Amino acid sequence: MKKLWSLLCILSLLISPALAATESPEDAESADQPPAETVPSERAGKEPYVVPGAAYTVQAKSAMLIEMGTNQILFEQNADQQVYPASLTKVMTCMLTLEHGNLTDTITVSETALQGLSEAGSTAGLQAGEQLTLEELLYCMMLSSANEACNIAGEYVAGSVDGFVDMMNERAAELGCTGTHFNNPHGLHDENHYTTARDLSLIVREALKNETFRTITSTVTHEVPATNLSEARSLSTTNLLITPSSRYYYEPARGVKTGFTSPAGLCLISTASNGRMELLSVLCGANYIFTETGEQENQNFTETKALFEYGFANFSYTKVLTTLYPITQVKVLASGGPEYSLLAPDHELIALLPADYEEKDIVQEISLNSPQGVEAPITQGQVLGHVKVSYQDHMLGESDLVAITDIPRSAITVQTEETKTFLAVNWWKILFFCLLGFVLLYATLVAINRLRARRHRAARAARRKKVIDLPDDHWGGDDWSGDDLL
């Protein structure tokens, strides 16, 4: 029994390492899990890129240039300085009216909507009691910059002009405007009616999400059908950048709104597209000057055009990540092929950058799921890492990193693991058969020993009997005497 117990102890020592090396399914799964996805960084409101060369300026109190695809600020000048918006106010008025109104509704002009307006202000000549659709009212508001149309829309949406102004301020706060306070819906000068170029950019970007807003503000001419009190009206936009007959015409430009009061100066919000980028310009507080020929030049148009040309010339979309080229590698453990797996982005990343950027300034922050190495086999497209790309501390984007080829597991490793797995699963069977074999062997040895002992005893007995049965003459007969042996 002592020998049997010793054998059991030895077998348990041999089987224990196999059990300890066996990984539970939960452990194996958690070891290969990629890190949790990170939420993409907010792209809006970035500081402008640093562009080499002389600092660029515009002839205006404040200005911003923004690329609409990324919301990347390309240029800003006194963007947070408080300014008077003049008729740029109508961007908010039009947007709110579109959000709360129905374009086919028929509106009747009230007496109160025509009160308190400057006789020198912009107008479409709308009369008390006149009826027109909301859509036609908005054309009057945004093309002719009709101040009365703003009061009419305010009463339609909120029931009163004052109630509508409250809605304007609430909506501005919702959009993140921190330097804006509206005191009327049209923009006629008021000391308590002000904003900033940055806030205006937030408002107009929201408004441009509405296709009707884009259509109205990009229209050059429009005819308002005859009403109950007026013949048909022909309207023309005040934005000369989009007017082909104007000397300020700039073909890439679209919309949005002009503004002017003496305290506000010349103002303009406009967009422009060259087929690759859409730019948004916000310009407040420009002047008009006289050229050597005595011709007046409105700098809100010339400076806005210069801003667009600056943006198109100095910035472009560039491919900063491609799926065609690996950017890092990871060690493969128990590989039956290459020792390292090459990793490439799982999708292309195209980002807006200065046209003369230097490649060394593109920063790739690479993280591997298992920096110490990844167990084979590896399959093509398997996610093994992540990369974030930035430029001048601007987050450009990110991508998973995937293996570009399959890598099999080593055959020796596979056989070893299969053996370990077999031992781990079938250890009790092995132990049982070992014990059974030991018992059978022990029983066989005992039986053999007993048989040998029995034969040995039988042989001794036979020899003894043979001695006893020998005839007397074998011992020398009667002549033998025991004394002879002495």
Side-chain angles (χ1 to χ4, degrees):
M1 289 300 294
K2 287 183 179 180
K3 292 181 179 179
L4 179 60
W5 178 252
S6 300
L7 182 59
L8 289 174
C9 292
I10 293 171
L11 286 172
S12 66
L13 291 173
L14 292 173
I15 294 171
S16 294
L19 292 174
T22 304
E23 213 176 20
S24 71
E26 290 183 0
D27 291 339
E29 184 177 355
S30 62
D32 291 334
Q33 287 297 315
E37 263 188 23
T38 56
V39 179
S41 300
E42 178 61 44
R43 298 186 63 84
K46 289 181 175 179
E47 294 300 313
Y49 286 125
V50 177
V51 179
Y56 184 76
T57 59
V58 297
Q59 299 302 309
K61 289 180 181 177
S62 64
M64 291 191 75
L65 183 66
I66 299 170
E67 200 278 325
M68 295 287 284
T70 59
N71 284 332
Q72 174 61 53
I73 300 171
L74 306 183
F75 170 83
E76 65 177 47
Q77 178 177 302
N78 302 325
D80 297 305
Q81 178 180 323
Q82 204 170 89
V83 294
Y84 298 120
S87 285
L88 300 186
T89 302
K90 294 180 174 76
V91 172
M92 172 64 87
T93 302
C94 183
M95 180 181 73
L96 268 182
T97 304
L98 286 170
E99 290 176 349
H100 295 277
N102 187 333
L103 291 175
T104 59
D105 284 353
T106 298
I107 299 173
T108 302
V109 180
S110 71
E111 289 279 0
T112 56
L114 303 179
Q115 295 173 358
L117 299 174
S118 169
E119 293 183 1
S122 302
T123 180
L126 299 173
Q127 306 172 55
E130 188 171 0
Q131 294 182 329
L132 71 169
T133 65
L134 179 62
E135 183 176 15
E136 299 303 334
L137 183 72
L138 293 178
Y139 274 103
C140 291
M141 180 191 301
M142 301 307 285
L143 269 67
S144 294
S145 200
N147 294 324
E148 73 273 21
C150 299
N151 284 350
I152 296 167
E155 290 184 346
Y156 162 76
V157 171
S160 69
V161 172
D162 289 342
F164 186 77
V165 170
D166 289 340
M167 292 177 63
M168 294 171 70
N169 287 312
E170 290 172 4
R171 191 73 172 98
E174 289 175 4
L175 294 174
C177 300
T178 57
T180 295
H181 182 266
F182 295 114
N183 226 27
N184 61 61
H186 40 67
L188 287 172
H189 183 66
D190 186 311
E191 292 292 333
N192 292 316
H193 187 93
Y194 51 82
T195 187
T196 67
R198 193 180 307 280
D199 285 358
L200 284 171
S201 76
L202 297 175
I203 295 168
V204 74
R205 275 183 281 175
E206 184 68 17
L208 287 168
K209 294 176 183 178
N210 188 306
E211 286 302 320
T212 301
F213 179 90
R214 281 183 176 264
T215 299
I216 292 173
T217 59
S218 294
T219 300
V220 178
T221 61
H222 177 77
E223 183 174 282
V224 178
T227 69
N228 60 323
L229 296 180
S230 172
E231 296 179 354
R233 292 176 174 87
S234 294
L235 308 179
S236 297
T237 181
T238 57
N239 183 2
L240 300 183
L241 280 187
I242 65 173
T243 304
S245 60
S246 169
R247 63 190 178 92
Y248 298 112
Y249 178 65
Y250 183 57
E251 196 280 331
R254 303 288 183 272
V256 175
K257 190 69 189 78
T258 61
F260 172 76
T261 63
S262 295
L266 295 168
C267 304
L268 176 62
I269 295 176
S270 184
T271 66
S273 173
N274 65 354
R276 299 183 301 275
M277 292 189 296
E278 183 182 21
L279 303 182
L280 169 67
S281 169
V282 178
L283 186 140
C284 300
N287 297 308
Y288 60 84
I289 61 174
F290 292 95
T291 65
E292 293 180 354
T293 60
E295 191 174 24
Q296 179 178 310
E297 183 176 276
N298 292 359
Q299 289 189 311
N300 56 339
F301 298 124
T302 56
E303 292 298 296
T304 296
K305 179 181 177 181
L307 262 179
F308 286 144
E309 291 176 340
Y310 167 83
F312 290 137
N314 287 280
F315 301 92
S316 62
Y317 277 101
T318 303
K319 188 183 296 183
V320 294
L321 286 181
T322 175
T323 60
L324 300 178
Y325 301 106
I327 62 174
T328 190
Q329 61 185 13
V330 63
K331 186 175 179 62
V332 180
L333 307 176
S335 171
E339 187 178 354
Y340 288 88
S341 174
L342 299 178
L343 308 184
D346 71 344
H347 66 271
E348 290 185 341
L349 176 60
I350 299 176
L352 184 73
L353 290 172
D356 57 353
Y357 81 97
E358 293 191 23
E359 194 167 342
K360 64 180 179 62
D361 294 330
I362 302 291
V363 178
Q364 296 179 351
E365 182 183 338
I366 297 173
S367 58
L368 299 176
N369 295 354
S370 300
Q372 73 281 2
V374 181
E375 288 282 342
I378 304 298
T379 58
Q380 182 180 6
Q382 182 176 340
V383 177
L384 298 176
H386 197 77
V387 59
K388 295 180 180 180
V389 186
S390 61
Y391 173 79
Q392 291 185 358
D393 296 327
H394 294 68
M395 179 67 174
L396 302 180
E398 52 192 323
S399 171
D400 284 333
L401 294 176
V402 297
I404 65 172
T405 57
D406 295 337
I407 298 180
R409 196 161 178 79
S410 166
I412 296 176
T413 303
V414 171
Q415 291 175 0
T416 303
E417 288 177 344
E418 288 176 351
T419 302
K420 288 182 178 180
T421 302
F422 178 80
L423 290 174
V425 174
N426 300 288
W427 64 271
W428 61 273
K429 295 179 183 178
I430 297 171
L431 179 60
F432 171 78
F433 284 111
C434 287
L435 290 174
L436 180 62
F438 174 77
V439 170
L440 292 175
L441 177 62
Y442 181 78
T444 300
L445 291 175
V446 169
I448 291 173
N449 286 336
R450 287 179 177 176
L451 180 61
R452 286 179 176 175
R454 190 180 300 117
R455 287 177 177 175
H456 182 66
R457 287 194 298 272
R460 288 175 60 189
R463 285 195 299 271
R464 238 190 265 107
K465 182 177 180 182
K466 185 177 180 181
V467 170
I468 295 172
D469 293 341
L470 286 175
D472 292 341
D473 58 1
H474 179 75
W475 304 104
D478 294 337
D479 297 333
W480 177 78
S481 173
D483 293 337
D484 293 340
L485 297 173
L486 299 177

